[in-house]
């Protein structure tokens, strides 16, 4: 892709990573202003710039700068892209979404305009894999009981569980699901993977689809049910009343996918009725979870505020993907891109 014309940051300005507006545009990569996980978006722009010393990486730091800079930008990256900003992006060829999920984007409009879209798949594998493993071990050794007794200064033994020989079912075998499998390998567990196309196989001991008797049978012998799938028509409400009735009553639900994959009312009923041992919820429906919601009141429920995705390495891993794609596009505008979800 030929360099675009316009104002860009000089090396001396790169520490601040803010951009003044100008009449032209010589941007190769435009970074939008929204950051994530409480980390300054300047770090993201710096990480891309470090990987692309031969290209011009511009950070639009205000709404006005975004609208002006995107008019002639061909390669844009950011957390989101609303339709108003897309309307101004008359030259856009690639939008590199900085999230793994793209359901919040105007995908139909992007596809109509022949804009290639990529996502951040793979960025979250290590940190969410560790989050899931931590949740499993918390319920296995019942650390939450020990913490409660410590607060009360009670020296009293309590029963715990053992992870070895347990069955862990992982719904979704993308980068996160695979990372969970890798981290479970030393623990001597049996793993069942759930994916749309079981015939493709996967890293688990067994593979089943989302529907039918095989899925129900997997639930019936599951000790830890890990949800790591995207939210689709198939997965919305996947874990409903019937699923909670079917699942082993000693099972623990761990949701790092999206809140609506689980029917919240059914989950509350299952917890009240002891149909499951507990739940670790990094996502909920609704989200944020209202202060008066009953899920806050269960001692066997762990709630984290959609925090499993946080990692200090987020921008570094994301920049690896985005910089490589920007490099490919510069060499060949028709090149296949990593993590491409719309061609």
């Amino acid at each position: 892709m030929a360099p675009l014309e316009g104002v860009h940051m000089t090396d001396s300005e790169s520490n601040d990573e803010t951009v003044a507006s100008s009449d032209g545009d010589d941007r190769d990569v435009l970074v939008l202003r929204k950051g994530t996980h409480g980390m300054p978006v300047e770090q993201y722009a710096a990480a891309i710039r470090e990987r692309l010393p031969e290209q011009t990486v511009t950070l639009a730091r205000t709404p006005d700068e975004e609208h002006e800079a995107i008019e002639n930008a061909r390669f844009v990256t950011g957390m989101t892209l609303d339709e108003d900003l897309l309307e101004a992006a008359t030259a856009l060829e690639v939008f590199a979404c900085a999230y793994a999920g793209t359901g919040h984007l105007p995908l139909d409009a992007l596809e109509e305009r022949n804009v290639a879209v990529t996502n951040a798949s793979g960025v979250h594998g290590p940190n969410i894999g560790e989050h899931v493993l931590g949740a499993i071990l918390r319920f296995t050794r019942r650390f939450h009981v020990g913490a409660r007794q410590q607060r009360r200064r009670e020296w009293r033994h309590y029963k715990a569980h053992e992870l070895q020989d347990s069955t862990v079912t992982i719904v979704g075998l993308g980068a996160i699901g695979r990372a969970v499998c890798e981290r479970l390998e030393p623990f001597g567990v049996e793993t069942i993977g759930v994916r749309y196309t079981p015939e493709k196989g996967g890293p688990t001991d067994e593979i089943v689809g989302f529907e039918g008797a095989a899925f129900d049978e997997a639930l019936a012998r599951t000790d830890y049910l890990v949800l790591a799938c995207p939210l689709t028509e198939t997965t919305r409400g996947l874990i409903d009343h019937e699923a909670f009735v079917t699942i082993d009553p000693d099972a623990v639900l761990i949701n790092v996918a999206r809140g609506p994959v689980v029917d919240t009312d059914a989950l509350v009923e299952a917890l009240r009725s002891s149909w499951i041992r507990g739940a670790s919820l990094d996502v909920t429906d609704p989200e944020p979870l209202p202060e008066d919601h009953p899920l806050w009141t269960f001692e066997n429920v762990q709630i984290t505020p959609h925090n499993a995705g946080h990692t200090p390495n987020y921008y570094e891993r994301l920049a690896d993907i985005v910089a490589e794609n920007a490099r490919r596009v510069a060499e060949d505008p028709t090149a296949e891109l990593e993590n491409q979800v719309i061609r």
Side-chain angles (χ1 to χ4, degrees):
M1 180 173 68
L4 304 175
E5 296 182 354
V7 167
H8 61 280
M9 296 174 51
T10 64
D11 291 339
S12 64
E13 293 170 321
S14 61
N15 289 334
D16 292 335
E17 296 177 15
T18 55
V19 176
S21 62
S22 123
D23 295 335
D25 185 353
D26 62 357
R27 289 167 287 275
D28 292 307
V29 177
L30 172 63
V31 182
L32 301 182
R33 63 193 166 94
K34 185 179 186 299
T36 190
H37 297 305
M39 298 183 293
V41 72
E42 285 82 356
Q43 294 178 9
Y44 180 36
I48 299 174
R49 188 175 294 110
E50 182 181 352
R51 289 157 175 79
L52 294 174
E54 72 284 3
Q55 296 193 30
T56 302
V57 179
T58 301
L59 172 62
R61 204 59 190 83
T62 69
D64 285 345
E65 286 177 2
E66 282 185 339
H67 277 83
E68 181 177 347
I70 206 169
E71 287 182 3
N72 298 308
R74 298 177 185 172
F75 191 110
V76 177
T77 182
M79 307 297 158
T80 188
L81 180 68
D82 60 38
E83 294 196 20
D84 179 55
L85 197 56
L86 176 58
E87 188 67 26
T90 55
L92 186 61
E93 296 174 1
V94 178
F95 180 72
C97 182
Y99 289 135
T102 57
H104 62 292
L105 299 176
L107 295 177
D108 290 342
L110 285 161
E111 190 166 16
E112 286 175 7
R113 295 177 56 170
N114 296 316
V115 176
V117 176
T118 64
N119 66 11
S121 178
V123 170
H124 287 307
N127 46 291
I128 297 186
E130 291 172 5
H131 183 100
V132 170
L133 185 59
I136 289 175
L137 291 174
R138 176 183 188 268
F139 278 93
T140 299
R141 300 308 302 166
R142 301 186 73 200
F143 290 137
H144 55 296
V145 176
R148 183 175 68 241
Q149 292 187 185
Q150 181 178 347
R151 289 194 299 270
R152 297 173 178 173
R153 302 185 184 186
E154 294 177 358
W155 186 273
R156 180 163 50 89
H157 289 282
Y158 57 88
K159 293 182 179 181
H161 303 269
E162 193 170 285
L163 183 55
Q164 183 171 283
D165 296 326
S166 296
T167 297
V168 181
T169 296
I170 303 165
V171 181
L173 292 179
I176 294 171
R178 294 193 301 271
V180 172
C181 290
E182 291 171 5
R183 284 153 182 75
L184 285 171
E185 191 171 343
F187 288 90
V189 300
E190 187 79 11
T191 55
I192 303 172
V194 182
R195 66 183 309 177
Y196 289 105
T197 52
E199 61 273 11
K200 288 185 177 180
T204 52
D205 298 307
E206 184 180 337
I207 304 284
V208 300
F210 278 93
E211 300 171 345
F215 179 71
D216 293 336
E217 289 167 5
L219 289 179
R221 54 193 176 95
T222 292
D223 298 298
Y224 297 92
L225 176 62
V226 178
L227 304 179
C229 54
L231 180 63
T232 66
E233 290 184 7
T234 299
T235 62
R236 183 179 294 274
L238 178 71
I239 308 303
D240 57 8
H241 174 88
E242 291 302 315
F244 283 118
V245 172
T246 303
I247 199 168
D248 189 297
D250 202 35
V252 173
L253 170 71
I254 300 163
N255 191 3
V256 291
R258 288 292 184 267
V261 174
V262 177
D263 181 322
T264 301
D265 291 340
L267 172 60
V268 170
E269 182 184 14
L271 290 163
R272 285 174 173 163
S273 303
S274 297
W275 292 345
I276 57 173
R277 175 155 49 105
S280 176
L281 308 173
D282 188 57
V283 290
T284 59
D285 182 25
E287 187 175 309
L289 195 64
E291 292 183 8
D292 60 351
H293 200 281
L295 282 174
W296 289 112
T297 65
F298 293 99
E299 291 190 349
N300 60 338
V301 173
Q302 177 189 35
I303 296 174
T304 50
H306 209 139
N307 207 62
H310 182 269
T311 168
N313 298 315
Y314 188 93
Y315 287 146
E316 294 295 321
R317 293 185 190 134
L318 178 58
D320 285 339
I321 298 169
V322 173
E324 174 58 25
N325 283 337
R327 196 175 291 114
R328 291 182 190 179
V329 169
E331 294 173 356
D332 178 6
T334 64
E336 185 77 13
L337 304 180
E338 186 176 351
N339 288 357
Q340 191 161 346
V341 294
I342 292 182
R343 303 186 185 280

